[in-house]
Amino acid sequence: MKKLCLLLLFLAFQGIGFSQSVKFISSLDPSKTAYAMRMVEKTLSKKGNALQNSSSKFTIEFKIDAAKYEPESFGILTDKTTISIIGGDTRGLIYGSLAICENIKNGAGLDKIKAFEEKAKYPYRTIKFDLPYDTYRHSYALDLHQETCKDIKYWEAFLDMMAENRFNILSLWNLHPYVYMIRAKNFPEASPFSDAEMKEWQTLFHGILRMAKEREIETYLVPFNIFVSPEFSKAHNVAMDNLDHHFFVRGDTSSIIKKYTRESVAQVLQEYPELTGFGLTLGEGMAGMTPQQREDWMKETIIEGMKMSGRKSKLIHRIPFSSNVGSLGPTSIETERLTRRAIDEEGTMDFIEKPIWADFKYNWSHAHSTPTLVKVHGGKLFDTYFVPKPQTYKVTWTARNEDFFCLRWGVPDFIRSHIKENSQEYVGGYTIGSETYIPAKDYFTKSDIKVDWKYAFERQWLFYKLWGRLLYNPETPDVIFQAEFTHRYGKDGENLLAASSLAGKTPLRLASSFDFTWDFSLYSEGFLSLKDKTVSYIDIIRQIEQAVTEPTYVSIADYVKIKTKGGSFETGKTTPPMLAEMLENDCKKALDLVKNINTKNNNALMYEVADVRTWAYLGLYYAAKIKGGIDLQTYRTTGNLQNKQQAIKHLETALKFWDEVIAITKPIYNDMPLVHFTEQAGNTKEQNEALRFHWHILRPAVANDVEIARKTVFEN
């Protein structure tokens, strides 16, 4: 019967032009091959030239061989007229099929496809997606995505992107997800929705999870804690101090909230069989609770709810942020020991599938800085989670991006360095994503410029392709990524990967040289950081005085202090003059690579080139600013007026480069809402919501660096 069903499927393909020459065969259950076959068929139908150099009829065979291939791996075997796609499992079969699609898309005929194999480096390759309903933070920059994220077509496109780039897990986050997915059996009063509205929400979530399952993408629900709906609060007179859902408030551990939470977890798992599991995040809505109390809450609610569901599921246990009753740390070895005991105990529970994913924030909220692990949320990481070696869990790293949302970014060697630093046996993989940005509605692009993408994540295609493909296989060569540029833009795209790799180092170098902590403490794309509870431009004095992140870097203040005392720097240190030279060399090369690209008749190409040029001019601006900072600090230290004059000249040069950034970006990018502005001290909520980011808006602040230098007076 299975073979008959597949035969009918093959015959149905014959209405498409290529199908007189291509036949699909498989003895597998159709549910295991449906997506893989559909993607190959779709690609062949678009690329009718796949057989133009061959008069042969081709057979494409879909197989699974778990004895020969590991989970998620695949092999492509070729004969004169047969291509065999063999997966170690269904996911591997999908990846093998998508590899064939990539070859065809890049111009290879079926008769030119060569045999090859690939296997997964990490089993955990996750995208963190903060849903725009009941968001972690309240901001227009997040709310504006609501309609896009209620469209199932958006999710289909996003999940296709994930599969293509070998991401295998989608984690969905918001403060209180249950009311969007179920009407709680024993607490119907918790729901704010009518029956019709509830049906719409359930249809959406069932659709997302069903499509993810078809693509062999696991799904996790990660609620922040402790939150209930305002309707529940009013009905039971609990959590009445947080009806607006602020993200870090007193934890209400009332028994009725515990009961509602664990029953909601169980019901969600029962009503959504495609849902893979849950995630624990021990912080939000838990102010005033000790680490032990937070772990106890999780055990009594979410873990107990998973048990009550009557089925097995998987678990992400996010490592606690703080060893005290606050949110921002510090870390402690005592809290690590407490948490490891909790995870080890979860590892003994037969209703939780192994491994458990023990997740850390890599370099707090700004992983796009240095590939060296300097800190996690709260501060230093001790070795408790690694020694002794874990048996039932794997460590995973969240590589947060709170630093660039508008400009395209892609530096493959940076990601390879990240992976090289984290190839220990206990590491399971990475989570990629943001907490202050949702990749849904494109609110960047000027509406009068016609482009060939619809969604925001499609603009950042290189970011997702690099992270996804390299997490799957770090040996993936640059030629694969360059081929995508060539596919999109032909000969005009041949230098874009190299240019992106050079110019894209600009934000990494800023974040490596300017220390940070939580989300708002740095926004590299805009040279913004947090000071006195306000996110604002990093002026020249802050640049001079800020400590570095990367241990091998030297701050401007420390450099001048040591140099003026006649000291020197050990080998391996990156001094400010060296950093400025690196920025100049790379950014000038990037500009040279794109200078002759004609973008007149291709707006997509125009944006690619514009973003490379923007990063490059930001890098040149930063190099000039560093030079100005060195001279200004030398004047502040020694009183040498020549240094002051040189500082002014360097900062004037920096302003000219900033003006180049404005000239490139103002005609093509809107003034943009930015979540980082939502908590500006002294402003009303309405005033903060009205704030916008754009480089032209910051010009007066950049120009003020020159005035700061002019007005600086030596004080011995």
Side-chain angles (χ1 to χ4, degrees), residues 39 43 57 67 97 107 144 154 173 282 289 376 380 462 486 497 564 614 682 710 713:
M39 290 299 100
T43 303
K57 291 187 176 182
S97 300
L144 60 80
Y154 167 78
W173 304 56
L282 296 84
M289 297 173 67
V376 293
K380 179 182 177 181
L462 183 61
T486 304
L497 180 65
T564 55
T614 301
R710 286 191 177 123
V713 177

Side-chain angles (χ1 to χ4, degrees), residues 38 60 119 131 137 157 163 243 267 282 390 417 425 476 504 520 647:
R38 189 164 78 243
I60 300 180
K119 65 178 182 178
L131 295 167
R137 287 191 170 84
L243 297 178
Q267 189 174 337
L282 296 84
S417 295
E425 185 181 354
T476 302
F520 296 177

Side-chain angles (χ1 to χ4, degrees), residues 151-337:
D151 183 354
I152 197 66
K153 290 293 185 183
Y154 167 78
W155 290 102
E156 182 178 21
F158 192 82
L159 289 164
D160 279 341
M161 177 277 292
M162 288 185 62
E164 179 182 328
N165 293 324
R166 317 297 195 260
F167 287 105
N168 63 352
I169 298 173
L170 173 65
S171 59
L172 300 171
W173 304 56
N174 73 348
L175 294 184
H176 187 62
Y178 312 115
V179 293
Y180 297 94
M181 301 179 74
I182 59 168
R183 191 180 300 280
K185 293 175 182 177
N186 292 325
F187 299 95
E189 68 278 8
S191 177
F193 302 119
S194 67
D195 288 346
E197 290 170 330
M198 191 73 245
K199 185 177 180 180
E200 286 183 7
W201 283 113
Q202 290 178 321
T203 298
L204 174 65
F205 278 98
H206 278 297
I208 294 170
L209 300 183
R210 185 176 58 252
M211 289 191 299
K213 180 67 174 176
E214 183 186 29
R215 291 155 178 78
E216 285 294 316
I217 294 171
E218 294 185 356
T219 47
Y220 290 76
L221 201 61
V222 189
F224 292 97
N225 292 281
I226 304 167
F227 295 92
V228 294
S229 67
E231 290 76 12
F232 185 94
S233 292
K234 294 172 184 176
H236 299 282
N237 195 32
V238 291
M240 291 295 290
D241 56 349
N242 192 27
L243 297 178
D244 292 333
H245 279 191
H246 295 291
F247 61 87
F248 192 72
V249 294
R250 179 185 66 87
D252 190 330
T253 59
S254 304
S255 59
I256 195 168
I257 292 181
K258 290 181 180 179
K259 177 177 171 61
Y260 165 68
T261 302
R262 61 177 167 259
E263 290 186 7
S264 294
V265 170
Q267 189 174 337
V268 165
L269 286 169
Q270 290 163 350
E271 293 190 15
Y272 292 84
E274 301 93 346
L275 183 66
T276 305
F278 267 81
L280 312 180
T281 176
L282 296 84
E284 289 73 21
M286 290 183 155
M289 297 173 67
T290 66
Q292 184 64 63
Q293 288 171 328
R294 293 172 184 175
E295 291 289 355
D296 290 344
W297 160 267
M298 293 298 178
K299 184 177 179 180
E300 295 170 16
T301 57
I302 294 183
I303 299 298
E304 183 62 22
M306 293 170 69
K307 180 180 180 180
M308 289 168 54
S309 72
R311 73 170 177 94
K312 284 192 172 185
S313 52
K314 295 186 179 182
L315 179 66
I316 300 169
H317 193 126
R318 201 181 194 194
I319 300 304
F321 311 146
S322 175
S323 61
N324 58 33
V325 298
S327 176
L328 295 179
T331 57
S332 76
I333 195 166
E334 291 77 19
T335 302
E336 286 194 3
R337 289 169 180 163

Side-chain angles (χ1 to χ4, degrees), residues 544 556-565 629-640 643 712-716:
I544 289 170
I556 293 174
D558 286 346
Y559 173 77
V560 172
K561 181 180 179 180
I562 291 171
K563 289 293 289 184
T564 55
K565 290 182 177 180
I630 294 168
D631 273 312
L632 185 59
Q633 183 63 8
T634 302
Y635 168 69
R636 293 170 78 195
T637 303
T638 67
N640 188 326
N643 288 120
T712 296
V713 177
F714 173 65
E715 297 179 4
N716 192 351

Side-chain angles (χ1 to χ4, degrees), residues 512-515 540-570 573-577 626 629-634 636-638:
S512 293
S513 62
F514 192 95
D515 196 22
I540 187 61
I541 301 301
R542 288 164 70 189
Q543 188 70 63
I544 289 170
E545 297 178 350
Q546 185 78 353
V548 299
T549 308
E550 163 56 49
T552 62
Y553 276 33
V554 179
S555 71
I556 293 174
D558 286 346
Y559 173 77
V560 172
K561 181 180 179 180
I562 291 171
K563 289 293 289 184
T564 55
K565 290 182 177 180
S568 59
F569 299 91
E570 61 188 81
K573 288 290 186 180
T574 299
T575 63
I626 291 170
I630 294 168
D631 273 312
L632 185 59
Q633 183 63 8
T634 302
R636 293 170 78 195
T637 303
T638 67

Side-chain angles (χ1 to χ4, degrees), residues 631-677:
D631 273 312
L632 185 59
Q633 183 63 8
T634 302
Y635 168 69
R636 293 170 78 195
T637 303
T638 67
N640 188 326
L641 281 173
Q642 186 176 357
N643 288 120
K644 179 176 180 176
Q645 294 305 314
Q646 284 297 114
I648 293 170
K649 290 181 180 179
H650 286 309
L651 294 173
E652 288 174 337
T653 299
L655 179 59
K656 290 178 182 178
F657 287 130
W658 194 272
D659 283 338
E660 292 287 350
V661 171
I662 293 171
I664 297 165
T665 59
K666 197 169 189 300
I668 62 175
Y669 286 126
N670 295 315
D671 294 356
M672 304 158 235
L674 186 66
V675 178
H676 297 59
F677 289 153

